[in-house]
Every structure is written in structure tokens, then in C-alpha cells.
Amino acid sequence: MEETRHRLRLPQNQMSEAFINNAVLALSGGFQDAYTYNTREGVFSNAQTGNVVLMSQSFMSGEWMTMLHYLIPVIAFVLGVLVTEQIQHRYKYAKRIHWRQKILLIEVLTLFIVGFIPEEYNIVATVLVSFTCAMQVQGFRKVGGYAYASTMCIGNLRSGVDALSVYMREKKPEQLKKSIHYFAIILMFALGAGTGGNLSVKYGISVIWISCLLLMFSYLLMSLEKLKQI
């Protein structure tokens, strides 16, 4: 019985769901999206909805190469989700290193490589960033026990306003807390996007390494949690 209660409590204590960790991931997510848009020919790495809109517009206009320009990152995003789900399934109960930490290390390595890819190969860079973005959004899906996304805002905005509306009607503190969580994550994403956009314009393709540092910080936070459990 005690073991059952421990299992029920464990998800609430996981660093992967802690606000500070997911705030860092949201900061990185916003940074990545602004980076590819400003340095990689106006393609979004995270907001695939934007890519689908532009892809469809190009298709309807008969601009086939432009259509592929937006289609390829969408495919990369799909593959990122697929690979992450497979990693989770295979390493879910690994003890030496958490499967989400494996995801972070893959992200860091991939984005580090992106920082070296010249502008002539922007499509390659965008594909890699879209792939890592998908891994992040698939691997980290809760903050404080609430479902969320660290690489986009629309779902978080809907959930935040929904919780706020419930709080206004029922005055339950839990709903206010939930709403604050969502709006705070959106703020961190916006800060990351603003910072990433301005630094990308000023310093160019290598600024993606800042995102690597943010992801390594997230990795270290999760490592510290594992040390406390020893």
C-alpha cells in the first residue's frame, strides 16, 4: 500500500514537471522559433501551423518549390514526435539516465551542429530544429501537473483563459494557480522569442548555442533531482 501511495505521489515531484524546469524549456522554445524565422528564411521551427498555412498557400499558387520549403519542416516535426515516443517506450524505466534527459542531450547535440550550418543550407538547419522541437514538445508535456506545450502558445493560452474563467466563477484557488502557471509559461516563451529574435538578427546563426545552454541547464536540474533520490 505504501508503495502504491509513493507511485501516486511521484509524478508530482518529478523535476520534468516542475515549473522552473518547464519555464527554462519554454524560454528555449521561444528562442528556437525566433531563431529559425530570423536566420533561416522565415520558416517556423515550432509553430507548424504557420508552416502548414504557408505550404497550403504555395500549393494553391502552384509554387511547388516554396511548398516543399514549408513541407519538409512539418515532416521533420512528425519524425521528431515518432522518435521520441519510441525512446520513451524503450527507456521509460531506465535507472541510470532518465529518458527525458536523453531527449535533452539529443536536442543539445543537434542544435550545437545547427550553429555551424551556413545559410546556404538553411533548409537542413530548419529541419533539425523542427525535429528537436518535436522531441521537446512530445517529451515534456506537463508543468505542475497541468498539460502544456513548451514550444508553442495557442494551447497554453486557451487553457490559461479557461482556468481563469472557472476561477472567476467558482473562486477556487487551484484554478487561479493553474491559470498563473499557463500565463507564466507564455511569458517565458515570449521572452525567449524576443531575445532569440533580436540576438539572431544581430549575431547570426551561431546564437542557437544559447538554446543549447538553456537545455543543458534543464538537464542539470533533472540530474540534481536524481542525486537527491540516492
Side-chain angles (χ1 to χ4, degrees):
M1 182 64 70
E2 181 63 29
E3 182 180 357
T4 301
R5 286 197 295 267
H6 175 71
R7 288 178 178 175
L8 290 174
R9 290 196 303 267
L10 184 58
Q12 297 179 352
N13 299 326
Q14 288 182 341
M15 179 56 69
S16 61
E17 295 184 18
F19 176 80
I20 183 172
N21 185 57
N22 287 283
V24 171
L25 292 175
L27 193 66
S28 177
F31 195 100
Q32 293 171 41
D33 220 15
Y35 168 81
T36 55
Y37 185 82
N38 284 282
T39 67
R40 303 296 184 175
E41 299 180 348
V43 177
F44 293 105
S45 60
N46 299 346
Q48 298 303 322
T49 300
N51 288 335
V52 170
V53 170
L54 295 171
M55 177 185 69
S56 178
Q57 178 179 319
S58 301
F59 175 78
M60 295 296 182
S61 302
E63 300 172 358
W64 311 117
M65 294 305 297
T66 303
M67 181 196 73
L68 290 175
H69 185 71
Y70 294 107
L71 173 62
I72 293 174
V74 174
I75 295 174
F77 189 94
V78 171
L79 291 175
V81 173
L82 179 64
V83 169
T84 304
E85 199 282 330
Q86 292 294 321
I87 291 176
Q88 178 184 3
H89 176 74
R90 183 170 181 177
Y91 298 104
K92 186 173 184 178
Y93 300 105
K95 295 181 179 180
R96 186 174 182 180
I97 179 172
H98 196 284
W99 68 269
R100 289 189 176 93
Q101 288 180 289
K102 294 180 186 290
I103 297 301
L104 289 174
L105 289 178
I106 294 173
E107 280 193 77
V108 170
L109 177 60
T110 305
L111 294 178
F112 184 72
I113 293 172
V114 167
F116 290 105
I117 298 176
E119 293 183 3
E120 305 92 85
Y121 303 101
N122 277 338
I123 188 62
V124 177
T126 303
V127 162
L128 293 176
V129 178
S130 294
F131 181 82
T132 60
C133 162
M135 297 189 79
Q136 183 172 310
V137 77
Q138 175 70 11
F140 297 86
R141 294 187 288 179
K142 286 187 177 182
V143 54
Y146 311 123
Y148 95 118
S150 63
T151 61
M152 56 196 75
C153 290
I154 185 65
N156 297 336
L157 184 59
R158 186 209 64 79
S159 298
V161 174
D162 178 78
L164 180 61
S165 178
V166 175
Y167 171 75
M168 292 171 63
R169 182 174 64 253
E170 302 178 0
K171 305 302 180 185
K172 293 181 179 180
E174 175 63 22
Q175 292 298 323
L176 179 60
K177 178 183 176 182
K178 182 178 181 180
S179 179
I180 291 174
H181 267 74
Y182 282 116
F183 289 129
I185 290 295
I186 292 171
L187 175 62
M188 294 303 294
F189 183 92
L191 289 174
T195 303
N198 282 283
L199 291 179
S200 295
V201 170
K202 190 171 183 179
Y203 298 107
I205 61 176
S206 61
V207 298
I208 193 62
W209 293 334
I210 294 176
S211 190
C212 293
L213 294 176
L214 292 171
L215 294 172
M216 280 306 301
F217 182 67
S218 174
Y219 178 91
L220 292 175
L221 286 175
M222 295 182 67
S223 296
L224 289 175
E225 179 192 39
K226 289 181 70 68
L227 289 175
K228 290 179 181 178
Q229 295 174 355
I230 297 177

